[in-house]
Amino acid sequence: YVVNGTAKGVYNGMRVYLKLADQKGNQAAQDTAIVMNEKFTFEGKIDFPQMWYLSVDNVKGVVPLIVENEMIDIDFNKDDIETSTVTGSKSNKALSEYTLGYKDLMDKRTELNKKFTQNLNPNSAMDDGSKEIILKDLEKVNEELKAYALQFLKNHNDNYFSLSLIENMLNANPSDLQPLEDAFSNLDENIKKSMYGSIVSTQINELKQKNESLAMLDIGKVAPDFSAPSTDGNQISLYGIRGKVTIIDFWASWCTPCRKQSKAISQFYSDYNKEDFQIVGISVDKDKNMWLKALQEDNVQWLSLSDIDNEVNDKLGVSYYPTTFLLNSDFEIIDKDLDPEKLKARLIELLE
């Protein structure tokens, strides 16, 4: 790739960076150039097109661009970085079009919100009919914003920015993957079959599998069987436990809310017959001693299992702690993530 830039008003010797952002938004420099006579140049080779970000020392903000093995030109405006322009490839033309279209919709929404807020004043001359028109216009703009990315993808299937846009939308972990699967399928064959296309396709399939696994743990579904070692080292399986109601509680010794929940549950655990009510604690502690110490400190009387390798955690799609599942005698999930008070009320409903 060759990225030629002009940077009017930027002093000689200032560094310019091309950075790549990870899924958490952290940016790491991939290439560096020096400004000389208000110009800079990057030269290199990239395995596949990617969204990178250009920044300049002592200038706030970044300029997004698709870096690919082509000639790319940047007109960098240090005084208003959002007006910087990137040209020279089909992908960057699409990026610019997308950015301008999105900005236009955002500006419309801002103006409508401003107009509506100004006329909330009781002394405003605007009548109710006019306010209703503004509200309808706001609703329309919001709907356009919501549909903007997918509509853009439908009309721009021939460039790598669209592939990058799909990847960014995947990173938001959407519950409904079908629109993004359709957008990916609609891309040109050479883009889908590229190295970058293979990466995004893999991400779609992995997220699809994850969503399918999580759907298996919705209320009304049967919890999958699992086994894990207890404090004495014996392997205990979920389906080997019998009770009218069973709680699966994922926790850790270092999780303050988990410890508070355990102490609260302890206060009413002894009120119920153990043939009717069981609790299975699943510790994700990596340190066995910390796990055992927490059990002793919190006076945990119920069955506690260790999930050091996160096998059970992953099987049930747990991503935060504490996470609880309330099961009936057939191991159907009848509720999830109840706080101790709601859990107690649910137990009274089920067992008394």
Side-chain angles (χ1 to χ4, degrees):
Y1 60 85
V2 178
V3 179
N4 291 313
T6 58
K8 188 175 181 180
V10 177
Y11 299 123
N12 286 348
M14 297 296 285
R15 289 185 178 275
V16 187
Y17 306 92
L18 286 176
K19 297 179 178 180
L20 175 65
D22 62 21
Q23 289 188 352
K24 294 182 179 179
N26 300 316
Q27 296 182 357
Q30 306 298 306
D31 205 348
T32 308
I34 304 294
V35 175
M36 292 298 295
N37 299 321
E38 298 185 334
K39 297 183 183 298
F40 58 86
T41 298
F42 295 94
E43 292 187 28
K45 187 176 182 180
I46 192 169
D47 291 333
F48 54 86
Q50 281 184 297
M51 174 80 79
W52 286 7
Y53 299 87
L54 182 140
S55 66
V56 177
D57 275 343
N58 298 328
V59 178
K60 290 183 178 180
V62 296
V63 178
L65 70 154
I66 301 295
V67 176
E68 49 192 326
N69 294 322
E70 294 191 31
M71 189 82 71
I72 300 166
D73 296 311
I74 296 180
D75 184 5
F76 182 80
N77 185 346
K78 73 177 184 64
D79 298 317
D80 186 2
I81 198 167
E82 289 188 0
T83 64
S84 300
T85 59
V86 182
T87 56
S89 75
K90 183 183 291 185
S91 298
N92 283 296
K93 181 181 178 182
L95 169 58
S96 295
E97 184 178 337
Y98 178 87
T99 303
L100 288 172
Y102 189 80
K103 183 178 183 301
D104 181 56
L105 286 173
M106 289 296 292
D107 288 345
K108 285 182 181 178
R109 186 169 74 172
T110 299
E111 186 60 32
L112 286 168
N113 275 323
K114 182 180 178 182
K115 188 182 294 186
F116 184 76
T117 302
Q118 287 174 342
N119 288 282
L120 285 178
N121 189 312
N123 298 322
S124 170
M126 180 177 286
D127 57 33
D128 290 342
S130 298
K131 291 178 183 178
E132 187 66 27
I133 290 173
I134 294 177
L135 285 174
K136 286 183 178 180
D137 288 343
L138 262 174
E139 183 179 352
K140 180 181 177 183
V141 170
N142 284 330
E143 287 298 319
E144 288 177 355
L145 278 167
K146 185 178 178 181
Y148 180 69
L150 289 174
Q151 187 61 45
F152 182 90
L153 288 169
K154 185 180 294 186
N155 299 323
H156 299 78
N157 65 344
D158 59 350
N159 67 89
Y160 283 97
F161 165 68
S162 291
L163 186 58
S164 176
L165 179 58
I166 292 172
E167 183 181 33
N168 286 338
M169 294 169 75
L170 287 171
N171 289 337
N173 290 316
S175 57
D176 184 7
L177 271 178
Q178 194 59 53
L180 292 181
E181 287 188 77
D182 294 343
F184 181 83
S185 296
N186 188 47
L187 294 174
D188 280 359
E189 286 300 316
N190 63 322
I191 295 177
K192 285 191 290 187
K193 292 179 180 179
S194 67
M195 184 184 296
Y196 190 14
S198 296
I199 291 171
V200 174
S201 178
T202 299
Q203 290 175 326
I204 290 174
N205 290 329
E206 288 177 348
L207 191 54
K208 188 174 182 178
Q209 290 175 4
K210 178 182 176 183
N211 287 351
E212 288 172 351
S213 296
L214 290 175
M216 292 173 60
L217 297 169
D218 287 340
I219 292 175
K221 303 289 187 178
V222 176
D225 194 16
F226 60 80
S227 62
S230 62
T231 53
D232 57 12
N234 292 324
Q235 286 286 327
I236 305 295
S237 69
L238 173 64
Y239 285 10
I241 299 166
R242 288 297 168 184
K244 289 183 179 178
V245 176
T246 300
I247 293 173
I248 306 174
D249 178 33
F250 284 87
W251 69 287
S253 64
W254 41 261
C255 168
T256 300
C258 300
R259 303 288 294 275
K260 287 182 178 179
Q261 176 169 284
S262 291
K263 291 174 183 176
I265 291 174
S266 293
Q267 294 174 6
F268 59 82
Y269 173 67
S270 59
D271 295 339
Y272 296 95
N273 188 316
K274 300 309 169 287
E275 293 180 1
D276 293 336
F277 176 43
Q278 298 280 356
I279 299 177
V280 182
I282 310 289
S283 165
V284 295
D285 281 291
K286 303 304 180 187
D287 187 329
K288 181 178 179 180
N289 291 328
M290 294 298 292
W291 167 44
L292 297 176
K293 182 182 178 183
L295 292 177
Q296 185 176 20
E297 290 176 349
D298 297 347
N299 192 31
V300 172
Q301 301 297 314
W302 51 81
L303 180 63
S304 187
L305 307 180
S306 174
D307 188 31
I308 288 178
D309 297 326
N310 276 39
E311 291 182 6
V312 181
N313 183 97
D314 293 344
K315 192 170 188 177
L316 274 73
V318 176
S319 59
Y320 57 88
Y321 309 99
T323 289
T324 57
F325 297 92
L326 188 63
L327 313 180
N328 64 15
S329 58
D330 295 321
F331 304 105
E332 293 175 342
I333 300 169
I334 55 178
D335 228 323
K336 296 196 293 188
D337 294 332
L338 298 173
D339 62 42
E341 285 301 315
K342 290 181 180 178
L343 178 58
K344 184 177 180 180
R346 196 78 166 92
L347 291 173
I348 291 172
E349 173 189 332
L350 295 167
L351 298 174
E352 295 185 0

